Amino acid sequence: MKKLFLSAILGGLTLTSCSSDDDVSPENPKLEVPETYTFERDANSSVSYSGQTTRLQMTSEILAKFTDFENGSETLLLDMFVNENAPFENASLNESSKSIKSKVAASKLYFSANTVESAEIKGDFDSYISEQFTAVKANKEVLADTGKAGQIAQGTKVRYVNEKGLEMNQAFAKGLIGGLLADQILNNYLSREVLDEGDNRANNDAGMLEEGKNYTTMEHKWDEAYGYLYGDPSIPQQDPNSVLNESDDALLFKYMGSVNDDSDFEGIAEETFEAFKTGRAAIVAGDYQARDAQVKIIRENISKIIAVKTVYYLQAGKEQMAEGQTGAAFHSLSEAYGFIYSLRFTHNPETGAPYISADNVENYLGQLMSGDGFWEVTPETLDTISEEVAAAFDFTVAEA
């Protein structure tokens, strides 16, 4: 907790965080930070992130079908991933021009000049779908065993794993937390390359709105970042933390809540929300130094959420294996696999690069999948990965 508030102090030297509509930063009298994420122009909201909400809704439908072998299929889920052939039950999603796949590994910072890796990452998500509905589905009535895909019990629940014990739906879902959400928030919409692109600063200073809209381009880019975290329809736009741990979100917002519940990281949800509000207010005031200070906080916090859950699930899997709870252990390790995958998309503000390099991510995943995968992974391997990840983010394995 001390680390979180220290970063808030360091990141917010240019402003004072405010708690009501009447509070104004003494450093910049134009900087008014509202109590909730409420920004208006001419008495109408200037906040819009409908595209992010659409992609989160698409993801929810995909995840619901991932283990539905009766109604789901490889073709259906691949169509849902790219939004082709009207695959969604929610008809409004079929009418949208948006898709999930187009925004995976698509940030301006990390992938605009790295299209080969971007294509490979998109291909990984395709492969999770394909393997689920080929190898795993073919063995859905068979008990999984070493080197054999099938079903495995976790208490009264039935999980479906590949021959190495990996649940493809968990790799897909947790991988999207990094590959879609974190990458778009940290490395795209909150980057100077996007916020300040072209004449965005001059237009923002002049109050020049996008045609037919009630926002400047810079305001909208910030809101789109906000939408990837808070855009699930079950989350109130203005006061998202009022439903922390109670929303229907299955991605980043959900896990921010669980990390916030850990006393070692208590306050991370409120600090992140304050940074989003303050940064948006700074854009309205034309205070770009204050805006960039909040970007730093958001990048640190969202990256840390991914790292904390990585270590948490690695350690949970280790303990469950020691207790002979194979199904529970494989489920935890599958979640860890997805979160490790997501580490590649974190953003260290001090270096401008991921906290964990792509090569190290591949190395960790390779260690988990070596030989017969989870069937033979050792506690020592899980501890080593945990310690290295925790050290990179300046927390301890025990804290996670």
Side-chain angles (χ1 to χ4, degrees):
M1 183 175 180
K2 291 179 181 178
K3 295 172 189 171
L4 291 172
F5 288 109
L6 177 60
S7 75
I9 293 169
L10 293 175
L13 289 176
T14 59
L15 62 141
T16 299
S17 180
C18 309
S19 59
S20 77
D21 293 328
D22 298 325
D23 288 333
V24 178
S25 165
E27 289 81 4
N28 182 348
K30 294 182 179 180
L31 187 59
E32 300 182 17
V33 183
E35 184 176 354
T36 61
Y37 199 83
T38 304
F39 297 91
E40 296 183 338
R41 180 174 284 107
D42 299 327
N44 293 307
S45 175
S46 63
V47 176
S48 175
Y49 49 80
S50 58
Q52 286 63 45
T53 295
T54 293
R55 288 190 175 90
L56 292 177
Q57 289 177 300
M58 289 175 173
T59 301
S60 293
E61 280 210 29
I62 289 180
L63 296 179
K65 286 287 190 291
F66 226 106
T67 54
D68 184 354
F69 293 122
E70 297 301 318
N71 300 302
S73 69
E74 179 181 10
T75 298
L76 176 64
L77 267 73
L78 289 174
D79 281 349
M80 294 170 86
F81 195 35
V82 296
N83 192 16
E84 292 181 352
N85 302 314
F88 295 103
E89 293 179 3
N90 181 342
S92 66
L93 299 181
N94 297 324
E95 296 167 2
S96 172
S97 62
K98 313 295 184 184
S99 78
I100 301 168
K101 187 175 182 177
S102 64
K103 291 296 183 178
V104 169
S107 65
K108 198 172 188 71
L109 278 186
Y110 283 2
F111 298 104
S112 62
N114 198 356
T115 56
V116 172
E117 185 181 4
S118 175
E120 290 174 348
I121 290 168
K122 288 177 169 68
D124 287 341
F125 288 93
D126 286 336
S127 72
Y128 299 149
I129 293 171
S130 296
E131 185 166 359
Q132 177 76 351
F133 286 94
T134 53
V136 176
K137 181 179 179 178
N139 279 21
K140 65 184 179 69
E141 303 296 340
V142 177
L143 292 179
D145 205 341
T146 306
K148 183 170 69 175
Q151 61 172 259
I152 192 168
Q154 181 191 357
T156 58
K157 296 179 180 179
V158 175
R159 305 289 186 184
Y160 298 95
V161 301
N162 72 359
E163 77 279 3
K164 293 180 182 287
L166 176 65
E167 293 178 58
M168 310 315 297
N169 59 317
Q170 295 302 323
F172 185 93
K174 276 53 180 185
L176 277 186
I177 290 175
L180 175 63
L181 277 67
D183 190 48
Q184 285 294 301
I185 296 170
L186 311 182
N187 310 317
N188 195 59
Y189 289 118
L190 296 188
S191 69
R192 289 182 180 176
E193 288 77 0
V194 170
L195 290 172
D196 295 342
E197 186 174 15
D199 296 328
N200 285 0
R201 275 204 186 196
N203 291 344
N204 191 68
D205 290 337
M208 185 179 296
L209 308 184
E210 291 192 5
E211 185 175 356
K213 304 298 182 181
N214 197 36
Y215 46 70
T216 69
T217 297
M218 189 185 297
E219 289 172 343
H220 186 49
K221 297 306 180 186
W222 187 275
D223 292 339
E224 289 183 292
Y226 182 87
Y228 272 115
L229 176 55
Y230 301 108
D232 185 274
S234 65
I235 301 172
Q237 172 181 297
Q238 297 175 332
D239 190 15
N241 287 346
S242 65
V243 296
L244 202 64
N245 298 317
E246 298 175 4
S247 77
D248 296 331
D249 182 81
L251 298 174
L252 184 56
F253 184 76
K254 171 184 177 178
Y255 290 98
M256 180 171 69
S258 68
V259 172
N260 191 73
D261 286 344
D262 185 331
S263 60
D264 292 302
F265 305 99
E266 184 181 2
I268 195 169
E270 184 61 28
E271 186 185 55
T272 303
F273 182 50
E274 287 295 321
F276 267 109
K277 288 190 302 173
T278 304
R280 181 59 155 79
I283 290 173
V284 173
D287 187 340
Y288 305 117
Q289 184 178 3
R291 178 201 71 181
D292 292 346
Q294 304 314 303
V295 171
K296 180 176 184 292
I297 294 170
I298 295 167
R299 282 172 166 166
E300 290 175 342
N301 285 0
I302 289 179
S303 296
K304 182 166 285 189
I305 289 165
I306 293 170
V308 170
K309 298 313 296 185
T310 296
V311 175
Y312 172 84
Y313 283 117
L314 287 171
Q315 291 299 303
K318 184 187 76 169
E319 293 171 9
Q320 289 157 345
M321 288 175 70
E323 295 168 356
Q325 301 178 45
T326 304
F330 284 12
H331 182 63
S332 292
L333 294 178
S334 294
E335 296 198 80
Y337 182 100
F339 277 111
I340 290 173
Y341 194 98
S342 286
L343 290 171
R344 192 279 174 244
F345 307 95
T346 58
H347 188 116
N348 184 340
E350 302 303 322
T351 65
Y355 283 85
I356 305 289
S357 71
D359 286 344
N360 281 342
V361 166
E362 285 301 310
N363 179 44
Y364 295 151
L365 296 178
Q367 290 182 53
L368 292 181
M369 293 290 98
S370 176
D372 287 317
F374 296 159
W375 295 101
E376 64 178 22
V377 70
T378 66
E380 292 76 17
T381 294
L382 301 180
D383 280 340
T384 297
I385 298 174
S386 296
E387 289 160 6
E388 290 182 8
V389 171
F393 289 83
D394 194 29
F395 63 85
T396 67
V397 173
E399 286 175 319

